Amino acid sequence: MDKLIDIVNRAIEDYGFRQIAQWSPEDVVEMWDLTNEEAGVLTGPIKMALDMLPIPVEPDDYISEKARFRQIIDKALRT
Amino acid sequence: MIISVKKPDLDKLLIRLYAHNNMPGRLNNKVCLITGGASGIGRAVTIRFLEEGGTVVVVDRNRAAIKETLEIARTVSTKVESIEADVSKLDQVENMIRSTVDKFGHLDVLVNGAGVLVLTQEAEHVEEREWDLIMNTNLKGLFFCCKYALPEMVRSGGGSIVNIASITGIQGYSRSLPYSVSKAGVIHLTFVLANQYTRRGVRVNAVAPGSIDTHQARGSSQSVGALDIVAQNHPMKRIGKASEMAEVILFLASEESSFISGETILADGGSWAGGGHV
């Protein structure tokens, strides 16, 4: 959970990292040592939500976007 | 002997000369592989090379961007293909070069445009994984592409490699130390490869763009208005366009630069000369 939150927080603030999370998730899975379940959330609902983010996310929107992604992660890990 | 040319004939001759100099075709019969070819500068290069008659293989890891780029590119030429690959993976690079040569018989031009910019804190806070993520694509991946492309170019009688570096590889960029170092590495790699391969028929050059209006630049600026401020402080009062970089890359890829190898062209609109910042 904490690792996924760290990953999405970086992806929200940094477009370059976002692209890696979107298109080279295997590198992120390995470097953050994610479980299979966490990897599935990254490549599933998180990827879908990242695809919809504006370029860039404005700093004023960081808090609300981070909260939204946290909900996505919470929901995905519960199901 | 003086040749007299009637005015209408002279006009026709001038038109023909103009047409010849501006005629697309500088990459006729050339097979060009462009990594990072689906977005930003890479996409502009893809389109420009197709306009010049090249056969283009777009390589990218971004599936959605490939699809979008191919739709645009095919309005220019049908001589475009794509390979979904991550240049930081040795086996994928080897396959990408092999499949291109198997299909077309030769590889003439390699543009190494794949790169990532991950922002980092000051040196003491840079994480190993941040360092690796950047270096693996920007420097190691670029090296992999050269490693497998060079023998194929030598085998078919020569070629041209154009590496996309960055002004940050010259002046540094405090918002990402690893990125700056990776681009400095690209410039040095370019020089050493030219030393090794020019005598074997392969020219190796680089372009070091300044601030260019791409998704990457906008995304890393962390604010929609940030690039406007960069533009205001630029000697040209604007930042560069991807299409302008494509022209420089076309020059280095084509025979127009036939006596240039080991060079890095700083294409920053005078920013470095003016003491400006990225």
Side-chain angles (χ1 to χ4, degrees):
Chain A
M1 173 84 171
D2 290 344
K3 291 175 183 174
L4 286 177
I5 289 172
D6 177 40
I7 291 163
V8 298
N9 286 350
R10 289 170 188 251
I12 287 165
E13 293 191 19
D14 184 347
Y15 177 68
F17 184 81
R18 188 202 308 180
Q19 288 181 297
I20 293 170
Q22 288 171 289
W23 303 108
S24 295
E26 67 280 5
D27 290 341
V28 177
V29 169
E30 184 187 333
M31 289 180 179
W32 268 257
D33 195 22
L34 298 184
T35 64
N36 286 343
E37 185 187 22
E38 288 168 329
V41 175
L42 176 66
T43 56
I46 290 178
K47 163 76 166 57
M48 284 174 62
L50 290 176
D51 287 347
M52 305 302 289
L53 278 179
I55 305 170
V57 176
E58 291 290 329
D60 288 349
D61 299 327
Y62 286 171
I63 292 173
S64 60
E65 286 294 356
K66 286 176 182 178
R68 187 170 69 86
F69 271 80
R70 189 183 179 110
Q71 286 181 341
I72 291 169
I73 294 167
D74 275 342
K75 186 180 172 190
L77 289 177
R78 274 203 309 270
T79 54
Chain B
M1 183 174 71
I2 297 172
I3 300 172
S4 171
V5 182
K6 292 177 187 172
K7 178 71 170 58
D9 292 340
L10 181 63
D11 287 345
K12 284 180 189 169
L13 185 63
L14 287 172
I15 289 167
R16 283 182 60 192
L17 276 172
Y18 178 83
H20 176 77
N21 288 333
N22 292 278
M23 188 170 57
R26 278 177 278 185
L27 295 175
N28 279 347
N29 304 315
K30 302 288 187 190
V31 176
C32 313
L33 197 146
I34 304 168
T35 73
S39 62
I41 294 172
R43 178 186 284 182
V45 173
T46 295
I47 303 300
R48 193 71 189 90
F49 279 21
L50 289 170
E51 288 173 346
E52 291 291 338
T55 297
V56 174
V57 180
V58 177
V59 177
D60 212 294
R61 61 185 169 189
N62 184 334
R63 197 176 312 128
I66 287 178
K67 184 171 178 286
E68 193 177 284
T69 298
L70 288 185
E71 283 173 12
I72 298 166
R74 285 183 175 137
T75 64
V76 177
S77 168
T78 55
K79 294 192 293 184
V80 58
E81 310 242 339
S82 68
I83 297 174
E84 191 180 317
D86 181 342
V87 297
S88 70
K89 308 293 188 292
L90 189 72
D91 58 334
Q92 293 185 33
V93 172
E94 189 177 7
N95 287 337
M96 143 193 128
I97 300 289
R98 187 187 301 128
S99 64
T100 299
V101 174
D102 283 351
K103 175 148 193 177
F104 299 105
H106 53 104
L107 174 63
D108 306 293
V109 174
L110 169 66
V111 176
N112 281 309
V116 292
L117 167 55
V118 175
L119 302 176
T120 60
Q121 302 296 316
E122 289 176 321
E124 67 193 90
H125 304 297
V126 174
E127 299 171 15
E128 182 182 8
R129 57 193 174 192
E130 291 173 329
W131 178 273
D132 288 343
L133 281 172
I134 295 168
M135 289 294 172
N136 286 353
T137 295
N138 293 10
L139 190 53
K140 191 173 80 173
L142 185 145
F143 167 69
F144 286 165
C145 294
C146 293
K147 172 183 166 64
Y148 285 103
L150 280 161
E152 295 300 335
M153 290 179 166
V154 169
R155 186 183 58 78
S156 60
S160 175
I161 293 177
V162 185
N163 297 323
I164 301 183
S166 165
I167 189 175
T168 65
I170 299 167
Q171 73 174 53
Y173 183 48
S174 64
R175 293 178 70 209
S176 185
L177 181 151
Y179 181 81
S180 307
V181 174
S182 73
K183 293 299 185 179
V186 169
I187 292 169
H188 200 70
L189 182 77
T190 300
F191 192 75
V192 177
L193 289 181
N195 178 278
Q196 293 179 342
Y197 284 88
T198 302
R199 71 193 68 226
R200 297 162 75 179
V202 182
R203 296 183 300 107
V204 188
N205 293 290
V207 178
S211 291
I212 306 300
D213 193 354
T214 60
H215 279 332
Q216 178 66 71
R218 290 193 173 274
S220 297
S221 67
Q222 294 184 301
S223 173
V224 169
L227 279 187
D228 294 336
I229 296 168
V230 174
Q232 285 165 19
N233 293 323
H234 194 282
M236 291 191 176
K237 300 297 177 198
R238 68 176 179 88
I239 60 172
K241 301 171 191 166
S243 59
E244 291 173 307
M245 295 305 103
E247 294 297 338
V248 182
I249 293 162
L250 170 63
F251 169 70
L252 290 174
S254 72
E255 285 303 303
E256 288 188 332
S257 61
S258 55
F259 201 57
I260 299 177
S261 191
E263 184 61 78
T264 295
I265 295 181
L266 178 58
D268 69 338
S271 174
W272 178 235
H277 297 285
V278 181

